[in-house]
Amino acid sequence: MPGARSRPVRGQTPAVPLAFVLAALLLVGLAAAPAPVNAASQAMVPACSGVNVRASASTSAAVRTRLATSAKVTVAATVPGSSWRTDCAGPKAGSTWHRISHVNGATVRSLYGVTYVYAAGGLLRSVPAVSPAPMPAVSPAPMPAVSPAPVPPATPTPVPPTATPAPAPVPPAPPVPTPAPADPAAATTDPLGAELMRLVSLDRAALGRAAFQVDPGLVAIARDASFTCPTNPGLTLRGRAADMAARSYFGHYVAGCYKAGTTTAYPALGIVRSVFGYAQARSEILHWNTLSAAPVSYQLGCSIAGGNCTGGTTSTPKTVAMAQRSFMSSTAHRTSQLAAYQRFGCASATTPGTTKTYFACLFADGGPALAPVPAPAPAPAPEPVPPPSAPAPGSATMVPACTDVNLRTGASTGASVATRAALGTTLSVDAAVNGSGWSTDCAGWKSGATWYRVTHVNGTAVTSLYGVAALYAATGVLAAGSAPVPAPAEATPPSSPGGLTTLGESVTFFGRGWGHGVGLSQYGARGRALEGQGAAEILAHYYPGTTIGSLPEGSTIRVLLLDNHVPTAASPLTIFGGGDAWSISGVDALFPADARLRLVPTATGTTTRWQAIVDAAGTVLYDAPAPADIRVQGLSPAATLQLPARSSTYDTYRGTLRILISGVKADVVNELSLESYLRGVVPMEMPSSWPAAARTAQTIAARSYAAVRIRPGTSTFDVYDDTRSQVYRGVRAESAAADAVIAETANLVLYSGTTIASAMFHSTGGGATENNENVYVSATGARTSTPVGYLRGSADRDANGVPYDATSPHAAWQTNAYSLAQLSAIFAADSRTSVGTLTALDLRDRGVSGRLVSVMLVGSAGAKTVSGNVLVAIFNARRPAGDPLAWSTLLDVAPIP
């Protein structure tokens, strides 16, 4: 894509073994534009957990959110739509849908940017309206912490009670709507599953690992979410643990359920991906043990062999202890679980009529949302925030209860993390609100669904720091604190003070980052992955407001390989077949893998005639005039086509090569499946030795970027094979590690609403990314682009202010020092920046990251204004050969912090 990207030395990592779970609500059908059937507004609640709410009345429409049983919605009408089938609160099917205008009292427009969302008619049930009621003072409920969970004391500790500890005192909050009561049938408790999750966290802490986030969505899949086989509607499974208990089997496929039109067993992995959207779920662990509630002493932090236990002991039911010890003694499970995941959920079930208990634990490295189930319950509209100079009247002062507390843009674990608060940070809290469920080990294990609304950080208004009215922290991760002490706001990108910057006798440009700075920073994604962030969290930061969804299978893309290439009779356009037989469109023959096609031009006056010649081992197999439009295609996926005119290092391709002849020139376009195309892109854009979460984020971004540009019938090609689009190098670039990630994320793209997101990316953000309209400007710096909601710039630094891309060789850079005469000569060599003897620069027009939007050069011959991109391009083109480049428009005449 436009903008350079660094390509560090590549390596390979072994593919991670995959084995997954079942259980999900599967709806089938196709959408039609819904017309109202009735218009009576009524309050309704989900009939079961994890109800899909979609962008339109169709099972193929994007899932906007998933509702917990505690949610309440306002149904404006019932409309016809695509057919669906479900096992929610009993098997049923139909084609009517509920049109929803409000979720938990908030308008759908304010939540999702559309007027309505839709739920299948069998998924909701009517309830009496619930009046708003004041919320109690605040009960702490934890949010996942980044730091390791504390190691328990050596003395046995009881299983945590289900009640939440009493909260730190906070002034009474304004009244907020109370969620509808949960359906008792759906709100099943699972103390053994919860206890197993506690042991997993304690073992990780004892081994020096960061705490996992307990993901309610994964818990629901493991425990009670349902899946109806799409090819066998009579086969319904309910929760991974419950299904194992009912069927007494251990497997990763659904017995009796097959992929459509095949006899291939339906994989559990496919269910998790297609139904629940956990594209980065990578493993499950399954145990069964004889039920015993008797407490036993469990040793923490033991080696694979069960020795060298360093974490003390805790008390737990014997069944849970046996399950966790079984898991921890498995080298493969333990190694991958400790190294690869950030989120998990466990559940248990007992085989009816027996004492045999099954456990299922699902692990995920990212996913379409940080907590798909339960769905975020939006907080009431924030009250006006007072000026930055003072906290809100009546607010309470609180501090983090552990280090690196997440402060989010909404009361949901799915909301973006605006910053992480270190120990000692003072926060002004003005209310406690309802939100999505969370759990944490911050200052002790706990969970809940209430959140603190934070208006000030270290005495500075959230509005001025982060551009939002308020931030939110789960109530379990904050504690009462002392009065706030004003502190400087988070560092913002520098800009030159005053007006013009008068230049001295010597000028050096200092800068940060490489590339345009819009969207995903590749080195930033690497840094985030190394800190434990999953692919979904990385994508949510760089493309705010997007969701992960699926493309239809079989998308084809067209890549321009040669443009206006001019062959000669002595050097014809040549294609070699390899791997299998191949054919030419319009020719009723197959040619062997070792044959070659030569397109030979012959000029007669002003007319050029082309001849197509196929030969092998010196024997001519075909010789005829060449048409203006030719397609060369392999017989099978094993076939490859070599195009020597492209490059000896990347001249081999899969799919079809289309040759378009016009006069003396020829274009060559590679037509192939989108997934095959990515095999030649992903390893070029990100090394296969980098963390899996970063490579997964890059793969989904690259697929999205390409998918947006597929335009059949509009032109002869969709994308270039270089940085004008994204770098594609065909078969010679492919790697096993990249192939594994591409296969794991097959067809997954980012959506903004119902539209595929143009997921731009670059090498190094330099500690911050930029708004698209501040980068794609005119030559004079005039803003000509429409702002894109998911291409917003933001700080890209950790809680200590360290850029996530700090390991990039271009995280910070500087040019040589130039005398004023040298610098004047560099810019005088281009008419756009020629101002005589340069005396000053106006560097004040900057974007949100500090990147230069426009620059005014002032000299003895007058003043001229150009965009930051033009300034950098002219400097790089006219600087003395061998001098360091300016790598981005995030530059100044003084070092940038």
Side-chain angles (χ1 to χ4, degrees):
M1 91 181 28
R5 291 181 289 279
S6 60
R7 311 210 199 309
V9 177
R10 292 172 178 77
Q12 292 186 355
T13 53
V16 180
L18 301 178
F20 283 80
V21 304
L22 345 151
L25 178 63
L26 186 66
L27 299 175
V28 214
L30 211 45
V37 173
N38 68 24
S41 179
Q42 59 177 319
M44 302 191 78
V45 295
C48 55
S49 178
V51 164
N52 285 334
V53 176
R54 299 180 181 269
S56 64
S58 166
T59 54
S60 63
V63 176
R64 291 289 190 178
T65 189
R66 291 184 172 91
L67 300 177
T69 52
S70 60
K72 185 175 75 172
V73 300
T74 302
V75 173
T78 301
V79 299
S82 73
S83 60
W84 48 260
R85 188 190 311 274
T86 183
D87 196 43
C88 175
K92 56 183 85 79
S95 59
T96 58
W97 292 70
H98 296 303
R99 177 187 286 168
I100 298 169
S101 61
H102 293 69
V103 177
N104 289 324
T107 65
V108 165
R109 180 166 292 282
S110 67
L111 294 172
Y112 310 112
V114 295
T115 306
Y116 299 107
V117 291
Y118 298 82
L123 302 180
L124 302 180
R125 61 183 179 87
S126 300
V127 294
V130 179
S131 302
M135 198 183 76
V138 177
S139 55
M143 181 178 66
V146 173
S147 57
V151 176
T155 55
T157 55
V159 177
T162 54
T164 306
V170 172
V176 297
T178 302
D183 179 1
T188 56
T189 58
D190 183 6
L192 293 181
E195 177 63 4
L196 182 56
M197 289 187 285
R198 185 180 78 97
L199 288 194
V200 171
S201 295
L202 293 180
D203 264 323
R204 283 184 65 83
L207 291 165
R209 300 285 182 164
F212 276 147
Q213 175 180 346
V214 176
D215 187 321
L218 294 175
V219 174
I221 297 170
R223 185 183 66 216
D224 60 9
S226 65
F227 166 72
T228 300
C229 174
T231 57
N232 182 2
L235 176 58
T236 299
L237 311 177
R238 187 135 195 104
R240 182 53 161 157
D243 182 64
M244 290 168 57
R247 298 170 185 266
S248 298
Y249 84 103
F250 183 105
H252 302 307
Y253 294 89
V254 186
C257 182
Y258 302 97
K259 290 184 177 180
T262 74
T263 56
T264 303
Y266 205 105
L269 169 59
I271 298 170
V272 176
R273 286 180 174 171
S274 62
V275 180
F276 282 96
Y278 280 88
Q280 303 316 310
R282 294 172 187 262
S283 182
E284 65 180 351
I285 58 169
L286 309 172
H287 309 279
W288 68 265
N289 294 101
T290 300
L291 177 65
S292 172
V296 296
S297 180
Y298 178 87
Q299 290 184 293
L300 298 163
C302 303
S303 67
I304 295 292
N308 303 317
C309 305
T310 60
T313 61
T314 187
S315 179
T316 190
K318 181 179 179 181
T319 301
V320 180
M322 292 173 65
Q324 176 62 0
R325 181 60 66 218
S326 171
F327 170 64
M328 291 299 288
S329 65
S330 165
T331 303
H333 277 152
R334 180 184 179 189
T335 300
S336 61
Q337 180 259 5
L338 289 175
Y341 307 110
Q342 286 80 45
R343 300 154 57 193
F344 79 129
C346 300
S348 71
T350 302
T351 302
T354 74
T355 59
K356 188 175 291 186
T357 298
Y358 283 82
F359 289 88
C361 285
L362 315 181
F363 293 87
D365 178 17
L370 292 179
V373 180
E383 297 176 358
V385 178
S389 57
S395 63
T397 299
M398 304 196 78
V399 295
C402 55
T403 191
D404 287 340
V405 162
N406 287 331
L407 298 182
R408 299 179 181 269
T409 55
S412 164
T413 53
S416 299
V417 177
T419 187
R420 290 184 173 90
L423 287 171
T425 304
T426 54
L427 307 170
S428 297
V429 173
D430 74 340
V433 299
N434 289 333
S436 74
W438 50 258
S439 59
T440 186
D441 233 337
C442 175
W445 190 92
K446 50 186 107 67
S447 62
T450 55
W451 295 68
Y452 288 131
R453 190 166 68 202
V454 178
T455 61
H456 290 67
V457 176
N458 287 327
T460 302
V462 164
T463 303
S464 62
L465 291 174
Y466 308 106
V468 294
L471 296 178
Y472 298 83
T475 51
V477 298
L478 299 186
S482 57
V485 178
E490 181 178 289
T492 55
S495 60
S496 301
L500 293 176
T501 298
T502 302
L503 303 177
E505 294 181 358
S506 176
V507 177
T508 301
F509 290 122
F510 298 86
R512 298 190 63 86
W514 181 15
H516 49 62
V518 178
L520 179 141
S521 162
Q522 292 168 321
Y523 270 96
R526 178 178 187 268
R528 288 176 176 274
L530 290 172
E531 277 210 359
Q533 294 185 27
E537 187 173 358
I538 293 170
L539 291 168
H541 172 81
Y542 291 115
Y543 308 107
T546 60
T547 57
I548 299 176
S550 294
L551 282 175
E553 292 188 10
S555 298
T556 299
I557 192 166
R558 302 166 301 166
V559 190
L560 182 63
L561 303 179
L562 292 178
D563 185 19
N564 290 329
H565 179 64
V566 182
T568 64
S571 180
L573 180 59
T574 304
I575 296 172
F576 289 90
D580 201 350
W582 52 277
S583 63
I584 301 173
S585 57
V587 178
D588 187 17
L590 283 177
F591 301 107
D594 58 349
R596 68 173 177 175
L597 165 67
R598 289 178 294 146
L599 295 171
V600 184
T602 303
T604 305
T606 58
T607 302
T608 300
R609 297 179 58 196
W610 292 73
Q611 196 77 1
I613 304 170
V614 179
D615 56 19
T619 302
V620 174
L621 305 176
Y622 177 79
D623 188 348
D629 188 346
I630 311 168
R631 281 183 166 87
V632 181
Q633 184 173 4
L635 180 63
S636 72
T640 59
L641 300 169
Q642 185 181 9
L643 182 68
R646 190 64 189 97
S647 167
S648 60
T649 58
Y650 52 90
D651 61 358
T652 306
Y653 303 94
R654 300 187 186 278
T656 298
L657 294 184
R658 182 185 185 190
I659 302 97
L660 297 163
I661 296 172
S662 178
V664 298
K665 298 178 180 180
D667 293 347
V668 180
V669 177
N670 187 193
E671 300 176 339
L672 73 168
S673 73
L674 180 56
E675 300 304 301
S676 293
Y677 163 76
L678 289 173
R679 296 177 66 188
V681 169
V682 174
M684 298 302 301
E685 292 293 356
M686 186 170 284
S688 294
S689 59
W690 280 19
R695 292 186 292 116
T696 299
Q698 173 69 71
T699 301
I700 294 174
R703 186 183 288 111
S704 304
Y705 180 87
V708 167
R709 286 155 180 79
I710 296 175
R711 46 188 180 179
T714 302
S715 66
T716 57
F717 71 97
D718 302 314
V719 292
Y720 297 95
D721 69 347
D722 54 32
T723 55
R724 288 173 291 179
S725 297
Q726 50 190 358
V727 177
Y728 168 64
R729 292 294 180 258
V731 173
R732 295 187 188 275
E734 294 173 2
S735 78
D739 286 352
V741 175
I742 293 165
E744 289 167 15
T745 63
N747 299 310
L748 293 180
V749 293
L750 293 170
Y751 281 92
S752 175
T754 57
T755 304
I756 301 171
S758 180
M760 306 188 74
F761 53 88
H762 57 283
S763 169
T764 307
T769 57
E770 187 54 74
N771 291 352
N772 70 288
E773 70 272 16
N774 293 334
V775 171
Y776 297 102
V777 297
S778 73
T780 60
R783 290 168 173 83
T784 58
S785 301
T786 301
V788 177
Y790 55 83
L791 296 179
R792 301 293 83 197
S794 63
D796 200 12
R797 298 171 181 253
D798 65 18
N800 297 316
V802 178
Y804 282 107
D805 58 19
T807 60
S808 168
H810 303 102
W813 49 265
Q814 67 183 70
T815 67
N816 285 350
Y818 297 95
S819 69
L820 208 52
Q822 289 175 308
L823 197 60
S824 297
I826 288 173
F827 289 117
D830 192 293
S831 61
R832 294 170 293 179
T833 51
S834 179
V835 292
T837 300
L838 193 63
T839 58
L841 296 171
D842 188 340
L843 303 170
R844 292 174 295 173
D845 187 7
R846 296 180 180 271
V848 296
S849 69
R851 285 171 170 77
L852 290 167
V853 179
S854 69
V855 180
M856 184 170 70
L857 300 89
V858 179
S860 58
K864 291 182 178 179
T865 299
V866 295
S867 70
N869 290 323
V870 168
L871 181 87
V872 168
I874 292 173
F875 173 82
N876 287 338
R878 303 296 184 178
R879 80 197 192 290
D883 279 12
L885 293 164
W887 293 97
S888 78
T889 59
L890 181 48
L891 63 79
D892 209 329
V893 293
I896 300 175

